[in-house]
Amino acid sequence: MKHVENIAQLFSKKFVENPSIETFDAGLINLPTGRLVACDPLITNDMKEFRINFPQGEFPVLVHREKDSNCVAYVEIIFSDSEVSDWKLATTHDQNTEDLQDEEIFGYPVESGMGCFMDVETQECLNHLEKKLFHSKGAEFMGIYEEFFHEYFFDENGAIDQYAFLKPDAEKEGNIFAFETGYGEGFYASYIGFAKDNQPVKIVTEFIEIGS
């Protein structure tokens, strides 16, 4: 798969060397169970977790923007400093890469212009928060974006940033890393870099393919 080959060339090193990309250290994502979900949190908040179990704890998140457009091209979570020896398309339990043809991919659809990474436990907290707000506000409920996400991305002066960490439950450790997805709507795949011992080193979701 050409996508995997391009990801391998861009992200197998400790840092990305590409004149079309600028990288930002976004902060730390907390994964209480290590069961990671990537989805549009407004449209596919019931997305299944990836087949691979990732480490538990806090891990750095990097945002890679396309310089010309200033749009988010890739989002990366780093789990260890080990050298990456192999890359694979990230799949959920009901997905098999042998079913794909040519350049087909597994991924998640985005309709809201927003994507995210979060732990399964945090996903449950987000869904619980949405139900709680819906039942408490009734007809006044404006949707989970307006009720929860909006304030992290906009204030009275306009846009704050293209990404943010959010906690749907203040009593839980897990958080959501939400961000704008490339040029907006689309279908986006994630790729996992493995060390020689087959342990995950990093995961990258691609929103704009930038040739290496």
Side-chain angles (χ1 to χ4, degrees):
M1 297 176 67
K2 293 181 180 178
H3 290 288
V4 175
E5 294 173 0
N6 189 58
I7 291 290
Q9 292 184 24
L10 284 173
F11 292 99
S12 291
K13 296 180 180 179
K14 302 292 185 183
F15 51 88
V16 175
E17 294 180 302
N18 188 296
S20 299
I21 295 175
E22 53 183 350
T23 299
F24 300 86
D25 185 349
L28 298 174
I29 189 169
N30 192 306
L31 306 177
T33 72
R35 295 163 59 199
L36 183 65
V37 175
C39 68
D40 178 334
L42 309 183
I43 306 299
T44 55
N45 57 343
D46 59 348
M47 191 80 181
K48 295 180 179 179
E49 73 268 25
F50 290 118
R51 186 190 306 265
I52 296 295
N53 287 330
F54 294 90
Q56 301 172 13
E58 288 188 325
F59 305 98
V61 180
L62 301 180
V63 172
H64 306 277
R65 290 178 182 163
E66 182 185 44
K67 285 185 179 179
D68 289 344
S69 66
N70 200 37
C71 292
V72 175
Y74 303 91
V75 175
E76 174 184 12
I77 302 177
I78 301 174
F79 299 101
S80 80
D81 292 329
S82 300
E83 183 178 348
V84 177
S85 63
D86 187 30
W87 284 90
K88 294 180 181 178
L89 178 69
T91 58
T92 60
H93 290 279
D94 58 344
Q95 297 171 340
N96 191 331
T97 54
E98 294 180 358
D99 297 331
L100 298 174
Q101 297 181 7
D102 299 326
E103 287 302 299
E104 289 182 341
I105 57 174
F106 288 120
Y108 65 89
V110 170
E111 297 180 17
S112 70
M114 179 183 294
C116 79
F117 279 124
M118 59 182 165
D119 192 274
V120 162
E121 181 181 283
T122 310
Q123 181 186 42
E124 294 173 355
C125 292
L126 175 63
N127 293 336
H128 176 73
L129 175 64
E130 183 173 13
K131 292 177 182 177
K132 179 181 177 181
L133 291 171
F134 174 76
H135 288 299
S136 65
K137 295 200 170 187
E140 296 181 356
F141 180 68
M142 296 184 293
I144 193 62
Y145 177 78
E146 291 293 339
E147 301 285 357
F148 178 60
F149 285 90
H150 185 270
E151 66 178 298
Y152 290 87
F153 290 89
F154 293 89
D155 60 18
E156 64 275 6
N157 298 316
I160 299 173
D161 209 334
Q162 293 172 296
Y163 52 85
F165 287 96
L166 309 84
K167 286 180 67 71
D169 188 333
E171 297 182 359
K172 299 284 187 177
E173 294 181 350
N175 57 0
I176 303 169
F177 184 64
F179 43 82
E180 294 179 2
T181 53
Y183 304 136
E185 297 181 0
F187 188 81
Y188 304 111
S190 300
Y191 303 88
I192 305 172
F194 293 91
K196 290 182 179 180
D197 61 0
N198 208 35
Q199 294 301 305
V201 175
K202 57 180 65 177
I203 184 169
V204 177
T205 304
E206 179 181 70
F207 302 102
I208 302 172
E209 185 177 15
I210 298 177
S212 55

